Amino acid sequence: MRTHKNLLTFLLTSTSILLIAPSIFAAPVVLELDYEIPIQQNQVAFVPFAGDTVMSSIILNDLDNTELKTTSKNLPQQPSSSSELAGTLPVWQSIGVPYLVVGSSSTNRGKVTTEYEVIEVKSGRILAGKQSLTAKDDKESMRYAGHVIADKIYELITGTPGDFSGRIAYIEEIGVGKDKTSSLKIMDADGANARTIYTAKGSIFSPAWSPDGKRIAYSVQRDKSYPIIYVQNVDGGSSTALTPYSGSNLSPSFSPDGSKILFSSSFEGSADIYEVSASGGQPNRIINWLSSEVQPSYAPDGKSFVFVSDKAGFNKPQIYRYEFASGRTIKLSNSSYATSPQFSVDGSQIAFLNGSSAAIMNSNGAVTANLGNTGIDEAPSFSPNGKRVVYASKQGNKGVITIKSLNGGETFGKSAQEGIIRSPVWSASPK
């Protein structure tokens, strides 16, 4: 759907334990090497955690899809803690991999506690000391724990929080016209563990996550009815109608604190932009131009939002920015057709649809990346740390979700079981 109107709990406990670890060794060890250290493409040597059968493969896969190329093969030793490296650190230094991850898991009364260390190989320093995480001893909790640990390892090495424990919501459509069935699904950020949280006979549009990753808002249009926005808890509970109005209610966007939702609606005439409490109530109309205004999206600081208007002319939608404090509106986009804007987490970039191509602009409107024509009229969505994007595309008769790194990591995809995939959007990690 190109435009609207004319545009037209995981029970998991995580604790980080900081230990003082000035060195692995009691005294410095000096070793002269009479050979050159080989240059490795891998940045991280990962030793599968002792006592673990679930998390290690998840952590390894997460890290290997980033710019941190990771290996667990042909390692000189299989330590489970830094204490086991005494006297052998020069051997690790000789393989030329800058970082080493070791750890172990133990089970007690239905809980699994994992302790792990990220070691800077050159100096032997343990980054931020030993880390610890405790999770329920079931497959789903352990899978999530693996993503959380991968997040922390990535952050310790790069200084940027990882984006592995967030989830991706998307729509899968089967059939057309009156025979169309749409399902709202969520999956882990590695493309696994997909499940359906809502199914409707008709169309589902524009899912949007709450900032805490626990709720999701979306529009549903059944046969011969207007689209209505619903809000639902992701891990259980029924949906609640937020906009029971006689108009096209579309494109919800949660405020950064989760208390309000922006949306577009035509229930008072042309499509305008409204803001309403996330728990419902009377909406406040913010943008009321003679043209159609749709697809609002809050800026991360909550002080402004972007939206799309056909003010420039029919079939010439452009992206604008509205400032709450001043009421000022400025035009951002410079292309002939620009829709579906969404901010990165730091507000410095905006993903959007540039003509028929998924693209990224900076906050001043200059296009910085063109991801190409996906075959589906939709824009990409940023990952929580802004280092990756997810977008839908079409290959043959099947929909595909593509996760693309923006800084040298791997690009990979997930195909629909059947039908077309639309509107994938990445959540922050559930709090």
Side-chain angles (χ1 to χ4, degrees):
M1 186 174 185
R2 180 176 294 269
T3 52
H4 311 309
K5 201 182 176 188
N6 284 336
L7 298 169
L8 235 266
T9 294
F10 300 119
L11 296 177
L12 178 75
T13 303
S14 172
T15 58
S16 295
I17 302 176
L18 181 63
L19 302 180
I20 299 174
S23 174
I24 291 174
F25 305 106
V29 173
V30 178
L31 181 68
E32 292 185 4
L33 302 176
D34 58 0
Y35 52 87
E36 291 185 0
I37 296 175
I39 296 175
Q40 293 278 337
Q41 289 185 338
N42 295 305
Q43 298 297 302
V44 182
F46 181 86
V47 180
F49 295 163
D52 167 60
T53 59
V54 177
M55 294 184 295
S56 293
S57 60
I58 293 168
I59 297 166
L60 183 63
N61 180 67
D62 282 346
L63 295 174
D64 204 36
N65 283 325
T66 71
E67 74 279 15
L68 296 179
K69 303 304 181 186
T70 309
T71 184
S72 61
K73 297 179 180 179
N74 302 318
L75 301 181
Q77 192 183 0
Q78 296 288 309
S80 60
S81 68
S82 59
S83 62
E84 297 177 31
L85 295 176
T88 64
L89 188 63
V91 177
W92 288 93
Q93 291 169 338
S94 72
I95 70 173
V97 177
Y99 299 97
L100 169 63
V101 179
V102 298
S104 63
S105 295
S106 60
T107 304
N108 183 33
R109 297 182 180 180
K111 297 288 183 68
V112 177
T113 297
T114 301
E115 294 185 335
Y116 61 99
E117 296 163 292
V118 180
I119 301 163
E120 185 182 68
V121 175
K122 183 178 180 180
S123 65
R125 182 171 62 98
I126 303 168
L127 303 184
K130 183 178 288 186
Q131 306 292 313
S132 178
L133 184 144
T134 299
K136 287 184 65 178
D137 188 12
D138 62 67
K139 186 176 180 180
E140 191 166 350
S141 295
M142 295 303 294
R143 161 169 272 278
Y144 180 61
H147 292 312
V148 172
I149 291 174
D151 278 345
K152 186 62 177 180
I153 293 170
Y154 184 87
E155 182 177 9
L156 288 172
I157 294 173
T158 68
T160 300
D163 57 16
F164 314 113
S165 56
R167 294 175 287 183
I168 295 172
Y170 62 98
I171 299 158
E172 190 170 293
E173 295 178 350
I174 302 171
V176 295
K178 293 182 179 180
D179 297 323
K180 180 191 289 186
T181 297
S182 300
S183 297
L184 178 60
K185 298 187 174 186
I186 59 173
M187 68 178 186
D188 290 357
D190 59 359
N193 201 30
R195 63 186 177 93
T196 300
I197 65 170
Y198 185 82
T199 298
K201 192 74 173 179
S203 296
I204 302 175
F205 303 113
S206 54
W209 289 95
S210 63
D212 61 6
K214 294 181 179 180
R215 293 171 293 162
I216 195 164
Y218 54 91
S219 292
V220 179
Q221 183 173 24
R222 297 177 176 86
D223 186 36
K224 298 179 181 179
S225 68
Y226 290 109
I228 295 175
I229 295 173
Y230 292 86
V231 177
Q232 180 172 344
N233 287 331
V234 174
D235 295 321
S238 59
S239 59
T240 301
L242 185 73
T243 60
Y245 312 124
S246 297
S248 293
N249 305 287
L250 296 160
S251 304
S253 172
F254 279 93
S255 61
D257 64 1
S259 67
K260 297 179 181 179
I261 290 178
L262 286 170
F263 66 100
S264 67
S265 181
S266 60
F267 80 96
E268 291 186 289
S270 64
D272 296 322
I273 306 298
Y274 295 82
E275 187 177 54
V276 68
S277 168
S279 59
Q282 186 64 31
N284 174 40
R285 184 160 59 179
I286 299 175
I287 304 293
N288 180 22
W289 296 350
L290 295 177
S291 48
S292 294
E293 283 67 54
V294 296
Q295 298 176 338
S297 182
Y298 280 101
D301 61 7
K303 295 180 180 179
S304 64
F305 66 86
V306 288
F307 65 98
V308 175
S309 174
D310 63 0
K311 182 179 181 180
F314 175 70
N315 206 31
K316 295 180 180 179
Q318 297 295 316
I319 296 171
Y320 296 79
R321 186 169 190 162
Y322 174 85
E323 297 175 349
F324 281 105
S326 66
R328 185 177 67 141
T329 302
I330 59 172
K331 180 173 169 290
L332 288 182
S333 57
N334 297 304
S335 58
S336 60
Y337 186 98
T339 64
S340 305
Q342 184 188 86
F343 280 98
S344 60
V345 68
D346 64 358
S348 66
Q349 299 182 93
I350 299 170
F352 73 111
L353 186 67
N354 184 20
S356 58
S357 296
I360 297 171
M361 69 169 74
N362 62 26
S363 57
N364 294 320
V367 176
T368 59
N370 197 320
L371 305 179
N373 193 327
T374 64
I376 292 182
D377 204 5
E378 294 181 353
S381 165
F382 284 102
S383 70
N385 66 10
K387 302 296 184 183
R388 296 192 284 178
V389 292
V390 59
Y391 55 89
S393 60
K394 189 176 179 181
Q395 296 179 5
N397 294 322
K398 263 194 175 180
V400 176
I401 289 178
T402 297
I403 296 175
K404 181 178 179 61
S405 172
L406 299 176
N407 64 343
E410 296 294 321
T411 295
F412 63 97
K414 174 185 172 64
S415 299
Q417 293 180 341
E418 54 182 326
I420 300 300
I421 290 176
R422 293 190 179 278
S423 304
V425 59
W426 212 314
S427 81
S429 300
K431 300 295 189 291

